[in-house]
Amino acid sequence: MTMPQTITVLALDVDGVLTDGKLYIADNGNVMKTFHAHDGLGISLWQKCGFHIVLISGRNENSVTVRANELGIEHVFQNSKNKIADLQSCIQAIGCTTEQVCFVGDDLGDLSIMNHVGYSIAVQNAATEVKTASDWVTSLPGGEGAVREAIEYLMKANGTWDSSVASMMQEHANQ
Ligand SMILES: [Mg+2]
């Protein structure tokens, strides 16, 4: 099994991982979802260390594009019909192997990609099968800071967490 400290690419499912999985559907068909600020800051810390984020969603919503742009996430796959194929094209562009990828998932549609990558994490309220297949399970549910928790776990494993927090505190002290 890949060790968490060798992970350089964090691939995330969207619904139920970055969100709580709820879809607020308006009468006009527009879909709204909520994202957690703690996840956003964690993603920024991860990217500042030179690591990569990939979003892979089976759905296609502008709110995801907006959130990805806010966080400077370059690799976004929506309306994904084959999560493994989309990930594969992306890691070729990044120049790493599947062994260096950690996928965070919550539901049965994530199982094949979780088995394909080097390391997998399930959110606390994931389907039982997903939790069983994962290498690690967060204590927080999807959309409630689970991604932040996963990032903190990976960065503590590879030794970048403490210095990243220290430089963020320094940045704020200088503002
Ligand atoms: Mg999901």
PDB file of all heavy atoms in Angstrom, residues 100-120:
ATOM      1  N   GLN A 100       0.848   8.118  -6.687  1.00  0.00           N
ATOM      2  CA  GLN A 100       1.000   9.387  -5.959  1.00  0.00           C
ATOM      3  C   GLN A 100      -0.324  10.110  -5.760  1.00  0.00           C
ATOM      4  O   GLN A 100      -0.350  11.224  -5.252  1.00  0.00           O
ATOM      5  CB  GLN A 100       1.964  10.308  -6.715  1.00  0.00           C
ATOM      6  CG  GLN A 100       3.395   9.810  -6.732  1.00  0.00           C
ATOM      7  CD  GLN A 100       4.245  10.632  -7.689  1.00  0.00           C
ATOM      8  OE1 GLN A 100       4.240  10.415  -8.899  1.00  0.00           O
ATOM      9  NE2 GLN A 100       4.958  11.597  -7.156  1.00  0.00           N
ATOM     10  N   VAL A 101      -1.426   9.450  -6.180  1.00  0.00           N
ATOM     11  CA  VAL A 101      -2.746  10.082  -6.098  1.00  0.00           C
ATOM     12  C   VAL A 101      -3.530   9.526  -4.914  1.00  0.00           C
ATOM     13  O   VAL A 101      -3.573   8.315  -4.691  1.00  0.00           O
ATOM     14  CB  VAL A 101      -3.567   9.842  -7.391  1.00  0.00           C
ATOM     15  CG1 VAL A 101      -4.954  10.467  -7.271  1.00  0.00           C
ATOM     16  CG2 VAL A 101      -2.828  10.383  -8.609  1.00  0.00           C
ATOM     17  N   CYS A 102      -4.151  10.450  -4.169  1.00  0.00           N
ATOM     18  CA  CYS A 102      -5.126  10.066  -3.140  1.00  0.00           C
ATOM     19  C   CYS A 102      -6.490  10.527  -3.613  1.00  0.00           C
ATOM     20  O   CYS A 102      -6.652  11.677  -4.033  1.00  0.00           O
ATOM     21  CB  CYS A 102      -4.794  10.735  -1.809  1.00  0.00           C
ATOM     22  SG  CYS A 102      -6.082  10.531  -0.557  1.00  0.00           S
ATOM     23  N   PHE A 103      -7.480   9.650  -3.567  1.00  0.00           N
ATOM     24  CA  PHE A 103      -8.844  10.032  -3.935  1.00  0.00           C
ATOM     25  C   PHE A 103      -9.714  10.043  -2.683  1.00  0.00           C
ATOM     26  O   PHE A 103      -9.643   9.135  -1.853  1.00  0.00           O
ATOM     27  CB  PHE A 103      -9.434   9.059  -4.964  1.00  0.00           C
ATOM     28  CG  PHE A 103     -10.769   9.499  -5.505  1.00  0.00           C
ATOM     29  CD1 PHE A 103     -10.847  10.362  -6.596  1.00  0.00           C
ATOM     30  CD2 PHE A 103     -11.954   9.079  -4.901  1.00  0.00           C
ATOM     31  CE1 PHE A 103     -12.079  10.787  -7.080  1.00  0.00           C
ATOM     32  CE2 PHE A 103     -13.196   9.510  -5.386  1.00  0.00           C
ATOM     33  CZ  PHE A 103     -13.254  10.361  -6.471  1.00  0.00           C
ATOM     34  N   VAL A 104     -10.541  11.086  -2.549  1.00  0.00           N
ATOM     35  CA  VAL A 104     -11.497  11.156  -1.443  1.00  0.00           C
ATOM     36  C   VAL A 104     -12.901  10.960  -1.994  1.00  0.00           C
ATOM     37  O   VAL A 104     -13.329  11.704  -2.887  1.00  0.00           O
ATOM     38  CB  VAL A 104     -11.418  12.501  -0.688  1.00  0.00           C
ATOM     39  CG1 VAL A 104     -12.297  12.456   0.564  1.00  0.00           C
ATOM     40  CG2 VAL A 104      -9.982  12.841  -0.311  1.00  0.00           C
ATOM     41  N   GLY A 105     -13.611   9.971  -1.480  1.00  0.00           N
ATOM     42  CA  GLY A 105     -14.938   9.674  -2.003  1.00  0.00           C
ATOM     43  C   GLY A 105     -15.961   9.432  -0.914  1.00  0.00           C
ATOM     44  O   GLY A 105     -15.637   9.366   0.278  1.00  0.00           O
ATOM     45  N   ASP A 106     -17.208   9.283  -1.344  1.00  0.00           N
ATOM     46  CA  ASP A 106     -18.290   9.063  -0.375  1.00  0.00           C
ATOM     47  C   ASP A 106     -19.285   7.990  -0.795  1.00  0.00           C
ATOM     48  O   ASP A 106     -20.011   7.465   0.049  1.00  0.00           O
ATOM     49  CB  ASP A 106     -19.066  10.366  -0.108  1.00  0.00           C
ATOM     50  CG  ASP A 106     -19.964  10.756  -1.274  1.00  0.00           C
ATOM     51  OD1 ASP A 106     -19.462  10.811  -2.416  1.00  0.00           O
ATOM     52  OD2 ASP A 106     -21.168  10.988  -1.050  1.00  0.00           O
ATOM     53  N   ASP A 107     -19.360   7.679  -2.097  1.00  0.00           N
ATOM     54  CA  ASP A 107     -20.446   6.770  -2.494  1.00  0.00           C
ATOM     55  C   ASP A 107     -19.955   5.694  -3.468  1.00  0.00           C
ATOM     56  O   ASP A 107     -18.812   5.723  -3.917  1.00  0.00           O
ATOM     57  CB  ASP A 107     -21.619   7.571  -3.078  1.00  0.00           C
ATOM     58  CG  ASP A 107     -22.972   6.944  -2.740  1.00  0.00           C
ATOM     59  OD1 ASP A 107     -23.001   5.767  -2.308  1.00  0.00           O
ATOM     60  OD2 ASP A 107     -23.996   7.617  -2.917  1.00  0.00           O
ATOM     61  N   LEU A 108     -20.830   4.784  -3.796  1.00  0.00           N
ATOM     62  CA  LEU A 108     -20.456   3.575  -4.538  1.00  0.00           C
ATOM     63  C   LEU A 108     -19.786   3.866  -5.881  1.00  0.00           C
ATOM     64  O   LEU A 108     -18.906   3.126  -6.310  1.00  0.00           O
ATOM     65  CB  LEU A 108     -21.698   2.696  -4.759  1.00  0.00           C
ATOM     66  CG  LEU A 108     -22.413   2.261  -3.471  1.00  0.00           C
ATOM     67  CD1 LEU A 108     -23.650   1.414  -3.826  1.00  0.00           C
ATOM     68  CD2 LEU A 108     -21.478   1.462  -2.575  1.00  0.00           C
ATOM     69  N   GLY A 109     -20.186   4.969  -6.519  1.00  0.00           N
ATOM     70  CA  GLY A 109     -19.588   5.345  -7.798  1.00  0.00           C
ATOM     71  C   GLY A 109     -18.107   5.680  -7.693  1.00  0.00           C
ATOM     72  O   GLY A 109     -17.417   5.807  -8.706  1.00  0.00           O
ATOM     73  N   ASP A 110     -17.604   5.848  -6.466  1.00  0.00           N
ATOM     74  CA  ASP A 110     -16.192   6.189  -6.260  1.00  0.00           C
ATOM     75  C   ASP A 110     -15.313   4.958  -6.042  1.00  0.00           C
ATOM     76  O   ASP A 110     -14.088   5.071  -6.012  1.00  0.00           O
ATOM     77  CB  ASP A 110     -16.049   7.118  -5.044  1.00  0.00           C
ATOM     78  CG  ASP A 110     -16.845   8.399  -5.200  1.00  0.00           C
ATOM     79  OD1 ASP A 110     -16.847   8.954  -6.318  1.00  0.00           O
ATOM     80  OD2 ASP A 110     -17.450   8.845  -4.209  1.00  0.00           O
ATOM     81  N   LEU A 111     -15.921   3.789  -5.886  1.00  0.00           N
ATOM     82  CA  LEU A 111     -15.153   2.601  -5.498  1.00  0.00           C
ATOM     83  C   LEU A 111     -14.072   2.220  -6.509  1.00  0.00           C
ATOM     84  O   LEU A 111     -12.944   1.906  -6.129  1.00  0.00           O
ATOM     85  CB  LEU A 111     -16.094   1.413  -5.278  1.00  0.00           C
ATOM     86  CG  LEU A 111     -16.796   1.380  -3.919  1.00  0.00           C
ATOM     87  CD1 LEU A 111     -17.848   0.273  -3.902  1.00  0.00           C
ATOM     88  CD2 LEU A 111     -15.788   1.191  -2.790  1.00  0.00           C
ATOM     89  N   SER A 112     -14.415   2.264  -7.797  1.00  0.00           N
ATOM     90  CA  SER A 112     -13.419   1.802  -8.779  1.00  0.00           C
ATOM     91  C   SER A 112     -12.206   2.723  -8.799  1.00  0.00           C
ATOM     92  O   SER A 112     -11.067   2.255  -8.840  1.00  0.00           O
ATOM     93  CB  SER A 112     -14.050   1.665 -10.169  1.00  0.00           C
ATOM     94  OG  SER A 112     -14.602   2.888 -10.564  1.00  0.00           O
ATOM     95  N   ILE A 113     -12.425   4.031  -8.732  1.00  0.00           N
ATOM     96  CA  ILE A 113     -11.281   4.951  -8.761  1.00  0.00           C
ATOM     97  C   ILE A 113     -10.493   4.853  -7.447  1.00  0.00           C
ATOM     98  O   ILE A 113      -9.264   4.960  -7.427  1.00  0.00           O
ATOM     99  CB  ILE A 113     -11.713   6.411  -9.075  1.00  0.00           C
ATOM    100  CG1 ILE A 113     -10.485   7.251  -9.427  1.00  0.00           C
ATOM    101  CG2 ILE A 113     -12.496   7.040  -7.957  1.00  0.00           C
ATOM    102  CD1 ILE A 113     -10.822   8.591 -10.031  1.00  0.00           C
ATOM    103  N   MET A 114     -11.166   4.598  -6.345  1.00  0.00           N
ATOM    104  CA  MET A 114     -10.467   4.447  -5.068  1.00  0.00           C
ATOM    105  C   MET A 114      -9.537   3.234  -5.097  1.00  0.00           C
ATOM    106  O   MET A 114      -8.451   3.256  -4.527  1.00  0.00           O
ATOM    107  CB  MET A 114     -11.470   4.334  -3.916  1.00  0.00           C
ATOM    108  CG  MET A 114     -12.145   5.662  -3.599  1.00  0.00           C
ATOM    109  SD  MET A 114     -13.500   5.521  -2.426  1.00  0.00           S
ATOM    110  CE  MET A 114     -12.617   5.286  -0.898  1.00  0.00           C
ATOM    111  N   ASN A 115      -9.964   2.192  -5.776  1.00  0.00           N
ATOM    112  CA  ASN A 115      -9.125   0.994  -5.887  1.00  0.00           C
ATOM    113  C   ASN A 115      -7.999   1.181  -6.905  1.00  0.00           C
ATOM    114  O   ASN A 115      -7.039   0.422  -6.906  1.00  0.00           O
ATOM    115  CB  ASN A 115      -9.976  -0.214  -6.277  1.00  0.00           C
ATOM    116  CG  ASN A 115     -10.864  -0.663  -5.128  1.00  0.00           C
ATOM    117  OD1 ASN A 115     -10.465  -0.578  -3.972  1.00  0.00           O
ATOM    118  ND2 ASN A 115     -12.069  -1.107  -5.446  1.00  0.00           N
ATOM    119  N   HIS A 116      -8.129   2.173  -7.750  1.00  0.00           N
ATOM    120  CA  HIS A 116      -7.173   2.410  -8.832  1.00  0.00           C
ATOM    121  C   HIS A 116      -5.975   3.246  -8.385  1.00  0.00           C
ATOM    122  O   HIS A 116      -4.882   3.115  -8.933  1.00  0.00           O
ATOM    123  CB  HIS A 116      -7.915   3.113  -9.972  1.00  0.00           C
ATOM    124  CG  HIS A 116      -7.101   3.371 -11.183  1.00  0.00           C
ATOM    125  ND1 HIS A 116      -6.757   2.379 -12.079  1.00  0.00           N
ATOM    126  CD2 HIS A 116      -6.534   4.516 -11.664  1.00  0.00           C
ATOM    127  CE1 HIS A 116      -6.028   2.902 -13.052  1.00  0.00           C
ATOM    128  NE2 HIS A 116      -5.877   4.190 -12.817  1.00  0.00           N
ATOM    129  N   VAL A 117      -6.186   4.127  -7.401  1.00  0.00           N
ATOM    130  CA  VAL A 117      -5.124   5.067  -7.001  1.00  0.00           C
ATOM    131  C   VAL A 117      -4.303   4.513  -5.830  1.00  0.00           C
ATOM    132  O   VAL A 117      -4.646   3.481  -5.243  1.00  0.00           O
ATOM    133  CB  VAL A 117      -5.729   6.442  -6.624  1.00  0.00           C
ATOM    134  CG1 VAL A 117      -6.424   7.071  -7.817  1.00  0.00           C
ATOM    135  CG2 VAL A 117      -6.691   6.323  -5.443  1.00  0.00           C
ATOM    136  N   GLY A 118      -3.234   5.241  -5.491  1.00  0.00           N
ATOM    137  CA  GLY A 118      -2.317   4.773  -4.461  1.00  0.00           C
ATOM    138  C   GLY A 118      -2.891   4.792  -3.064  1.00  0.00           C
ATOM    139  O   GLY A 118      -2.550   3.944  -2.224  1.00  0.00           O
ATOM    140  N   TYR A 119      -3.758   5.765  -2.787  1.00  0.00           N
ATOM    141  CA  TYR A 119      -4.271   5.913  -1.426  1.00  0.00           C
ATOM    142  C   TYR A 119      -5.699   6.445  -1.515  1.00  0.00           C
ATOM    143  O   TYR A 119      -5.990   7.272  -2.391  1.00  0.00           O
ATOM    144  CB  TYR A 119      -3.396   6.906  -0.647  1.00  0.00           C
ATOM    145  CG  TYR A 119      -3.532   6.793   0.851  1.00  0.00           C
ATOM    146  CD1 TYR A 119      -2.835   5.819   1.555  1.00  0.00           C
ATOM    147  CD2 TYR A 119      -4.357   7.662   1.560  1.00  0.00           C
ATOM    148  CE1 TYR A 119      -2.952   5.703   2.939  1.00  0.00           C
ATOM    149  CE2 TYR A 119      -4.483   7.547   2.935  1.00  0.00           C
ATOM    150  CZ  TYR A 119      -3.775   6.580   3.624  1.00  0.00           C
ATOM    151  OH  TYR A 119      -3.896   6.463   4.988  1.00  0.00           O
ATOM    152  N   SER A 120      -6.578   5.965  -0.641  1.00  0.00           N
ATOM    153  CA  SER A 120      -7.959   6.441  -0.712  1.00  0.00           C
ATOM    154  C   SER A 120      -8.492   6.763   0.674  1.00  0.00           C
ATOM    155  O   SER A 120      -8.149   6.115   1.669  1.00  0.00           O
ATOM    156  CB  SER A 120      -8.856   5.406  -1.397  1.00  0.00           C
ATOM    157  OG  SER A 120      -8.849   4.195  -0.672  1.00  0.00           O
TER     158      SER A 120
END
